[in-house]
Amino acid sequence: MEIKLNQIVLHLLDSGASEPVLSDRAMDMDADLHEYFSAVIERAFASDDGKNCRFLPDSAFAQEMTQNGDFVDLSRRIGGVIFEQLLQYPAIPAGDLAVVDFAADGVPYYGVLKLNYRPGYTHATQRLGNGQFSSMVPQRTLLPGTPKADEAALFDRANGTVRLIEKKYTLDDKKDFYLSTRVFGCTEAVTEKAKLKAVCESAVAAVKEAYPEPEELDDVPPFDGGTETAVELMVRNQAVDNQIAVEDVCTRIRENYPLAAPKFEAALAETGVEETDRLTVSPARIKKLESRSFKTESGIEIKIPAELCSSDEAVEFIHSATGGLSLLIKDVLI
């Protein structure tokens, strides 16, 4: 993804103060800051904690973003609204707010990146007389060490869609979102991570119901590692550039598990995931689908690459008459 940063305005939202520190000009950008914020934005796009939303018809922010041509003023208004939420709800963490005017692969965007503070320590040196000593000093407002926003909103100015990463905090005695509902006025959508989980779980349940006996799947590879392994590996294999097309998963289900296809499609419809959806999946999430973990009653846990679960030359799963499962690992090197 090619990120072009036009300008960034940074505001300090510390709920310990009576008012926010709102900048009246954009930051001066050097190469390090350009690399940092480019990485933050790329991670926000790729995060499977993100969800694709749209503005509600009565969204005041959507109207403000369309009508306000002064980017710095718009950023100050965003900072002020979020700071009001911090003052009203102490559970929302304080942080620095970077409001970014940028383009991603040529598409114009506004980005709102909330970098929540973390407590930590730094060193301090003092001189006493002819000597000096160093000590540790607690810091309450350290920024994240890695280029990742704790909360983020990326606004596609071409089509009006929103990619949102938000968290639930205690608001009025219950856990709830505040960015989508109280700041930006967006639809509440399902996260990409939850959608992927729904696809996998719906597929596994449908296959298990359609093929209750392992013998029925002898001609439907790979199965030896269990239905979960087979289905999750099949889903993972549809990933291209960290995206999975639900339509491709449906096609593979129809090809590999024809008896399970109707049940899978019906179950998927109930989750809210549509066949036309394309799910963004982080590299870490895809990596988790690359292996299967098996744990014995005594607590021994073994992790095996998913591809090897279907290879008789590497491992063998032995089903007992009582329904138990034994694992034979071949060619062990000591």
Side-chain angles (χ1 to χ4, degrees):
M1 174 177 290
E2 181 182 354
I3 302 295
K4 179 185 177 184
L5 301 179
N6 299 317
Q7 52 184 330
I8 301 176
V9 185
L10 188 70
H11 306 298
L12 314 186
L13 309 182
D14 187 348
S15 53
S18 59
E19 59 184 26
V21 179
L22 302 179
S23 299
D24 55 14
R25 63 183 294 271
M27 294 173 56
D28 293 327
M29 296 287 292
D30 59 17
D32 289 337
L33 284 176
H34 189 284
E35 181 180 358
Y36 177 84
F37 280 106
S38 295
V40 172
I41 291 171
E42 286 186 14
R43 291 185 70 163
F45 272 115
S47 173
D48 54 12
D49 285 322
K51 49 189 179 182
N52 297 319
C53 307
R54 285 191 173 274
F55 288 117
L56 296 171
D58 59 350
S59 170
F61 174 78
Q63 297 178 12
E64 175 79 16
M65 188 176 69
T66 301
Q67 298 171 3
N68 193 343
D70 186 335
F71 177 72
V72 174
D73 181 66
L74 176 64
S75 76
R76 289 172 59 91
R77 289 176 179 270
I78 296 171
V81 171
I82 293 179
F83 186 76
E84 290 176 1
Q85 295 297 310
L86 266 67
L87 290 181
Q88 186 173 358
Y89 302 109
I92 301 175
D96 284 3
L97 191 75
V99 185
V100 189
D101 174 7
F102 72 99
D105 293 334
V107 179
Y109 276 87
Y110 284 154
V112 177
L113 311 172
K114 188 160 177 277
L115 310 173
N116 293 339
Y117 297 146
R118 288 150 170 76
Y121 290 87
T122 187
H123 59 262
T125 301
Q126 293 181 331
R127 182 175 293 278
L128 293 175
N130 294 328
Q132 64 181 14
F133 75 97
S134 298
S135 61
M136 303 283 286
V137 180
Q139 296 290 315
R140 189 175 58 85
T141 58
L142 294 178
L143 292 173
T146 57
K148 179 182 179 182
D150 300 281
E151 304 164 73
L154 306 175
F155 305 102
D156 185 330
R157 296 165 59 197
N159 62 22
T161 59
V162 183
R163 182 158 181 81
L164 192 62
I165 299 174
E166 61 177 345
K167 298 181 179 180
K168 286 186 176 182
Y169 299 104
T170 301
L171 315 175
D172 297 327
D173 299 324
K174 68 175 184 178
K175 291 273 190 178
D176 201 357
F177 296 117
Y178 75 98
L179 287 180
S180 58
T181 59
R182 300 166 186 263
V183 177
F184 299 126
C186 300
T187 56
E188 290 193 45
V190 180
T191 65
E192 302 291 274
K193 180 168 59 178
K195 285 185 177 183
L196 177 63
K197 183 179 179 182
V199 169
C200 288
E201 290 184 348
S202 298
V204 169
V207 172
K208 282 186 172 180
E209 181 176 329
Y211 303 89
E213 300 297 331
E215 294 78 9
E216 298 181 24
L217 283 171
D218 285 343
D219 296 327
V220 188
F223 177 71
D224 287 344
T227 306
E228 290 87 351
T229 298
V231 173
E232 291 181 3
L233 178 59
M234 181 204 69
V235 173
R236 189 217 65 176
N237 286 342
Q238 309 314 309
V240 178
D241 295 333
N242 293 337
Q243 286 201 331
I244 292 178
V246 178
E247 184 178 11
D248 291 343
V249 176
C250 292
T251 300
R252 297 290 87 76
I253 289 285
R254 296 185 194 110
E255 292 175 351
N256 294 345
Y257 311 100
L259 298 180
K263 177 68 177 178
F264 168 67
E265 292 168 10
L268 197 63
E270 294 179 1
T271 68
V273 179
E274 307 208 357
E275 193 167 334
T276 55
D277 284 349
R278 296 185 66 86
L279 311 182
T280 299
V281 188
S282 67
R285 186 71 51 186
I286 291 177
K287 190 172 181 63
K288 286 183 179 180
L289 295 177
E290 291 179 348
S291 63
R292 290 290 299 167
S293 293
F294 301 90
K295 193 171 185 179
T296 68
E297 291 183 356
S298 59
I300 299 174
E301 186 171 2
I302 300 173
K303 183 176 290 186
I304 301 175
E307 287 90 345
L308 296 183
C309 289
S310 61
S311 172
D312 289 337
E313 296 180 358
V315 294
E316 183 177 346
F317 295 88
I318 305 170
H319 299 267
S320 68
T322 59
L325 181 67
S326 297
L327 175 63
L328 175 62
I329 303 176
K330 303 177 181 181
D331 295 329
V332 176
L333 299 178
I334 300 178

